[in-house]
Amino acid sequence: MSAPAVQVRGVTKVFGSGETRVEALRGIDLDVHPGEFLAVMGPSGSGKSTLLHLIGGLDRPTAGQVRLGGEDLASLSDDPLTLIRRRKIGYVFQFFNLLPILTAEENVALPLVIDGVREAEAGRRAVEAMESVGIAQRRTHRPGELSGGEQQRVAVARALVTDPVLILADEPTGNLDSAMGDQVIALLRRLVDERGQTILMVTHDPRAAAAADRLVRLKDGLVADSHDLPEVKASGEILRELEASE
Amino acid sequence: MSIKHALMGLLAKGPHHGYELKASLEEQVVPLSSLNFGQIYSTLDRLERDGLVTHRLVAQEERPDKKVFALTDAGHRELRAWLRSPSTVPLDLRNETFLKLMLARSLAGLDGAQSAQGVVAAERRASFERLHEVAQMRFRAAEAGTPAEVVLLLDLASLRLEAFLKWLDRCEEVLL
């Protein structure tokens, strides 16, 4: 198997000190392989958001290593870490986090523009990313003129536009009704199947998690369980059951 | 599923012979199902005995006469009454997983909590695998040309599995 896209080794994270000391992560080992769709679940307080922040370079571990494409994020100073966040990681958030005064296309182009890519090229790549998630027809709309599902598609396009090593999705269906949530999850699944995109998704939504290739459950700051979800055969158990439900 | 009412529903549209009923059932009423003729004819016999369906024989060249079935007035009334009456949604209060959890806690003595933990873990894995399967079928529905009616059945399956998985989390919180 090829080198992991993400490698987490012995990671701990402690917040506060003395009486307010909280051990959010207590020694996590985790690999995410290239082209893998990994779902991380766990009750609130289990450490899943903290883990996402560490892998996304938004925070630093108290101890241990977080490697992204071979590079140890903890050893990097702020500037190179910022570049990695900008170029190698795409983020999808629960509340979309689109800028309301920009059009959908400008939102998608933003990570490139911030990185100094010329405007014309940034625009071209933004439209390409929007086409690949089926939202290009909305490119001149502002977020307020789009449905929640459409806004999340724009956010997925923004996450894709830099061609990142990893997409981090933090409760991507958390603010959507179930039909729209299903569409966003189907979209993420398609990115994995068709482009080999690596995705790590934190969710408490079982239907979202079930779309992944592997499920990791965290509990009390530790990995409680890792479970591969099997390839689905053409005619599966469910079909047979539907046939039998006469 | 009630084959009886499905057949009556088809006959309410007009008379059919047995083979047509099977094909129409599979196409229009219960997608993905394949019913056998035995079930269909035995159900028709019962309906006829109860006065809800009647048949006449139609002569065919070089073949035995075929039976063409029709719904009687009593059949129409029974069908309408059935359409109006709510179906029973199973509450599953004798749930098998629940029984396993109760027994795992009481039987295993010292490592009871662990065993119940094992039950939850095994059920969770199995349900996620089935939910994964349903999800894949949903994702492929468009390209596979799956009819919208079948997608609705898959939605029902996935919502039920989701509810079960959430209930397992609750069991874990309360019992373990």
Side-chain angles (χ1 to χ4, degrees):
Chain A
M1 196 174 273
S2 48
V6 178
Q7 196 173 38
V8 175
R9 286 292 175 275
V11 161
T12 64
K13 179 67 183 177
V14 178
F15 294 107
S17 62
E19 279 184 21
T20 60
R21 182 185 148 94
V22 176
E23 277 187 281
L25 298 176
R26 300 192 295 140
I28 298 267
D29 293 329
L30 181 71
D31 286 352
V32 189
H33 299 287
E36 183 177 37
F37 187 0
L38 177 71
V40 176
M41 300 192 84
S44 28
S46 61
K48 53 190 197 300
S49 296
T50 305
L51 179 65
L52 188 95
H53 291 157
L54 297 181
I55 292 174
L58 302 167
D59 201 352
R60 292 169 188 276
T62 305
Q65 290 187 335
V66 177
R67 291 181 171 276
L68 183 78
E71 219 159 353
D72 183 9
L73 301 186
S75 71
L76 296 175
S77 58
D78 287 351
D79 288 350
L81 188 60
T82 300
L83 284 183
I84 284 195
R85 276 206 304 265
R86 205 180 276 166
R87 294 176 178 168
K88 296 201 172 172
I89 305 174
Y91 302 88
V92 178
F93 302 97
Q94 178 172 358
F95 296 103
F96 324 135
N97 295 21
L98 301 172
L99 293 179
I101 57 158
L102 300 183
T103 64
E105 179 183 327
E106 288 164 345
N107 267 287
V108 174
L110 196 58
L112 298 174
V113 172
I114 290 173
D115 202 33
V117 175
R118 283 178 306 108
E119 206 171 310
E121 195 197 332
R124 183 185 61 75
R125 285 169 64 183
V127 172
E128 210 175 272
M130 293 178 84
E131 277 167 356
S132 70
V133 303
I135 196 75
Q137 74 284 5
R138 290 277 193 259
R139 62 178 172 268
T140 59
H141 291 65
R142 290 196 163 70
E145 298 161 347
L146 301 172
S147 73
E150 288 173 328
Q151 290 186 58
Q152 197 60 306
R153 293 175 98 82
V154 172
V156 172
R158 180 185 57 188
L160 275 179
V161 77
T162 57
D163 200 10
V165 173
L166 174 71
I167 287 183
L168 287 175
D170 191 359
E171 301 282 7
T173 61
N175 197 36
L176 298 175
D177 69 34
S178 80
M180 281 184 179
D182 283 349
Q183 285 177 23
V184 166
I185 293 303
L187 171 62
L188 295 178
R189 182 71 249 176
R190 194 157 59 76
L191 297 178
V192 174
D193 291 341
E194 293 176 8
R195 302 167 52 125
Q197 180 66 53
T198 310
I199 299 180
L200 187 152
M201 170 175 68
V202 163
T203 186
H204 65 262
D205 173 356
R207 298 200 303 150
D213 299 312
R214 185 160 60 104
L215 259 175
V216 165
R217 299 186 67 79
L218 298 188
K219 202 176 174 188
D220 302 329
L222 293 167
V223 173
D225 188 27
S226 172
H227 176 198
D228 289 315
L229 293 169
E231 275 287 309
V232 176
K233 315 287 182 296
S235 167
E237 181 71 22
I238 302 293
L239 254 175
R240 285 194 292 279
E241 199 163 313
L242 279 169
E243 282 165 6
S245 63
E246 295 155 10
Chain B
M1 187 200 93
S2 169
I3 297 184
K4 170 183 160 184
H5 292 102
L7 287 172
M8 289 170 65
L10 286 175
L11 291 175
K13 298 182 186 179
H16 287 68
H17 60 80
Y19 183 81
E20 286 171 341
L21 280 173
K22 174 173 153 66
S24 302
L25 262 185
E26 287 168 8
E27 264 169 42
Q28 300 172 29
V29 187
V30 273
L32 288 181
S33 298
S34 80
L35 304 172
N36 64 50
F37 281 111
Q39 285 171 299
I40 290 175
Y41 283 112
S42 64
T43 308
L44 286 170
D45 281 348
R46 253 180 294 127
L47 287 170
E48 195 152 21
R49 190 192 59 209
D50 296 342
L52 303 172
V53 159
T54 176
H55 82 265
R56 65 190 170 87
L57 288 173
V58 175
Q60 297 193 104
E61 284 176 32
E62 296 172 25
R63 282 173 155 198
D65 295 350
K66 78 178 170 189
K67 280 185 175 181
V68 175
F69 296 90
L71 204 60
T72 63
D73 288 345
H76 279 283
R77 282 196 298 276
E78 157 74 22
L79 180 66
R80 267 179 245 132
W82 176 74
L83 285 172
R84 279 197 304 269
S85 62
S87 320
T88 307
V89 177
L91 295 180
D92 195 19
L93 295 177
R94 296 180 174 221
N95 180 274
E96 192 175 342
T97 306
F98 185 75
L99 176 61
K100 284 179 187 164
L101 280 171
M102 292 301 108
L103 288 175
R105 283 208 312 173
S106 61
L107 285 180
L110 284 177
D111 59 350
Q114 242 174 350
S115 300
Q117 184 72 62
V119 169
V120 169
E123 297 284 1
R124 189 182 270 140
R125 276 170 173 263
S127 292
F128 266 117
E129 287 182 11
R130 302 183 78 203
L131 191 51
H132 183 66
E133 193 172 345
V134 176
Q136 299 284 33
M137 288 176 68
R138 286 282 277 105
F139 297 156
R140 293 172 192 168
E143 60 190 86
T146 309
E149 292 82 355
V150 177
V151 172
L152 281 174
L153 284 176
L154 293 172
D155 284 342
L156 177 64
S158 94
L159 289 165
R160 286 213 159 134
L161 285 165
E162 178 186 7
F164 183 65
L165 280 159
K166 288 182 170 172
W167 179 74
L168 285 176
D169 288 346
R170 192 81 55 87
C171 289
E172 197 168 36
E173 273 170 43
V174 173
L175 300 177
L176 307 176

